[in-house]
Amino acid sequence: MLKVLKTFFNGMGTGKRIGRATTVFLLFFVPLFIFAVTQSQFSQANLKIGQKAPEDIRAPFALEDTDAYESQVEESLANMEAVYRISPTVQITTKAKVSGYLDLVRDIKLRNNLTVSSRIDELETVSPLDLSSDVHGIAIESTFSSLNTVEAISEDILTQMLAQGIKEDELGYRLMEIDGIVSSLNLQEGEQLLISSILMGAMEPNEFVDTIATERQMELIRESIRPVVIEQNELIVGKGETISSEQMRIIRLAELGEEGSRSWTRYIGIWIQLMLPLLAMILYIKYFSPEILNGRLIYLMFTLFMITFLLGKAMETVSPYLIPSAFNSIIATLLVGPGLAIISNLVLVYMLYFLWSIPGELAIIMIVGNSAGIILLLHQNQRHRVLLNGIYMGAISFIFYLGYYFLGEITTRNILINGGAIIIGGLVSGVVSLGTLPLWESVFKVLTPLKLMELTDPNQPLLRRLFAEAPGTYHHSLIVGSLSEAAASSIGANPLLAKAGAYYHDIGKLKRPSYFKENQFGIENPHDQMEPIQSTEIIISHWEDGMKLGKETKLPREIMDIIDQHHGNTLMSYFYHKASKDGETLPEDKFRYGGQKPKSKEATIVMLADSVEAAVRSIRNMDETAIELMVGRIIKGKIEDGQLDHSPITTKEINTVKNTFISVLKGIYHERIEYPEKS
């Protein structure tokens, strides 16, 4: 774990970047750790049996009650009957005793040299059965036919009784049954006595405990009993309730009732459970969105995360299904990006599950529904769609929840109550997102696609002024916007930002519109009567005037950057050479713009589109070749002048932009059909 953290912070760089990464990590970790530690954590060291609970006492974490589990196991095992099996050898040995005894009787009866008493004495000596002398006498005096009958009936009774199984503790009871069975037979009294005596002497228990099967049965019982788990946040004792001995046992089990106990092992568990998801999110930011760490957006993410988290806690007390988790996903998608929005949603749902113990199926629903909503938001550029998206998220989540109903895991009541809460939660997310989006955009200075679409609306005050007061500049800006949008799309830059930047790049010309060529309709060019240096100052001032006007109207920083950088420090070569022809030797700096060189692809594209459009418009004999040559010359000039030195745009992308410009300009200035004049 320490190695992972070391690798992470080493990867962030040194100095300021490490400080920012550490700050961001702690920004998320510390509040969540405090929430976790203080969750259901009261001063319970002095609690006693019989005392009334001062407040609700809940389990601070999930714990297994092994004592309760063992008690259930012992009770089940005590009520379990042992597994018995019938031994087949017993039946064989008992029958062998019966037949062996009667065979001896027959042998002795065949010995004619012995008296009856001698025969009885010898039988008593060698008999395998412990029978009385009277019984031996009856056997000796019985006929061979009678002995055969006795043997057959005895074996038959033995077979029937042993087939039912006789346990050791049942032997005495079963022997008592023999007299009743024999007396019911139509036999002579001597035969009945002989059969009863032989059976009682030969009968043995044949059903014994199967040790292996019994142990297997005991193991199955243990496995069938689920561990007794007290869930995190589960109520142990309600406020005002008298604490019983059993409740006190659970309190001690949770290490809440011991003097000075704060369960340091619990702190380690909380630390691990919080650190790993947050670390994964920070690593994602580091590798895939490193710019987030260098601006305000990381604090925006933290604010969104914590607001949604606290809303979740507030709603959880009513119904966890009301939690407006989609709010975080919607705003994060619009202001930060879909990738980070999905990661943030995953971490948020995990935290709600870990800290507030939301149901597992609800956590899955939040992940699926919010992720689907994030995808739906990717190409939406109208504000009212934000509200609809919240409704869509709620609907998707409800449909997913409905799947549990068809699987038989929830009831109709759950669908009506919890399903309704899910839809309401999505609606609330949409309403809150739509209502607070301008606030997020303003406070954190985030330029969203929705804001860019609004900025390119012709009804915007600045654009209306440009149309009314400087129509030539307005028309020029529209064409530059079309060029910039197409070029940005061709190289994967932000086409909306490039288009909006192009629309506002020349707003500074509103101060002196007649001093710019595109607005001089039917009027004399005032620069013809001015010194080159004066003309230069006026022309250059449109950049400064644009910056001032942008600040006054609170244009977004990204648009302001394009206004600032769309000329860079380009030399106004026309007036510079005009001054040189008049014999003046002024420094070149006097004839250069004071803006910064483009630092983004969008600003670079607007600079090139602005120059290309103005240059192509000045071509007298317009054709495709002239357009291609002019575009190539303008872009080459900007490169040679060092205007693209700070731009992230590549040579390959510049060629793509050039080809896009040529294609669009050919479409704008294509050769038109000459219509015949009316006679």
Side-chain angles (χ1 to χ4, degrees), residues 674-679:
E674 292 186 8
Y675 292 94
E677 295 183 3
K678 293 182 180 180
S679 57

Side-chain angles (χ1 to χ4, degrees), residues 549-612:
L549 187 55
K551 289 179 181 178
E552 290 173 4
T553 55
K554 297 182 179 179
L555 286 177
R557 176 180 53 80
E558 292 84 351
I559 303 297
M560 293 290 292
D561 287 342
I562 291 176
I563 295 173
D564 181 25
Q565 299 167 19
H566 82 279
H567 278 301
N569 66 343
T570 303
L571 176 68
M572 296 193 63
S573 56
Y574 174 79
F575 291 111
Y576 177 71
H577 291 304
K578 184 178 180 181
S580 299
K581 288 180 181 179
D582 292 342
E584 297 191 41
T585 55
L586 296 173
E588 205 176 87
D589 290 346
K590 294 285 186 179
F591 294 87
R592 285 189 178 274
Y593 283 93
Q596 299 185 64
K597 294 180 180 180
K599 296 180 180 179
S600 67
K601 292 182 180 181
E602 292 79 12
T604 304
I605 289 171
V606 172
M607 167 186 272
L608 297 176
D610 180 33
S611 299
V612 162

Side-chain angles (χ1 to χ4, degrees), residues 16 20 24 27 285 289-301 444-446 557:
K16 187 175 181 180
R20 177 62 67 89
V24 168
L27 188 67
I285 294 173
S289 301
E291 70 280 358
I292 299 294
L293 291 173
N294 299 322
R296 302 181 181 183
L297 290 180
I298 190 64
Y299 302 109
L300 166 65
M301 283 191 60
F444 291 96
K445 308 299 182 186
V446 182
R557 176 180 53 80

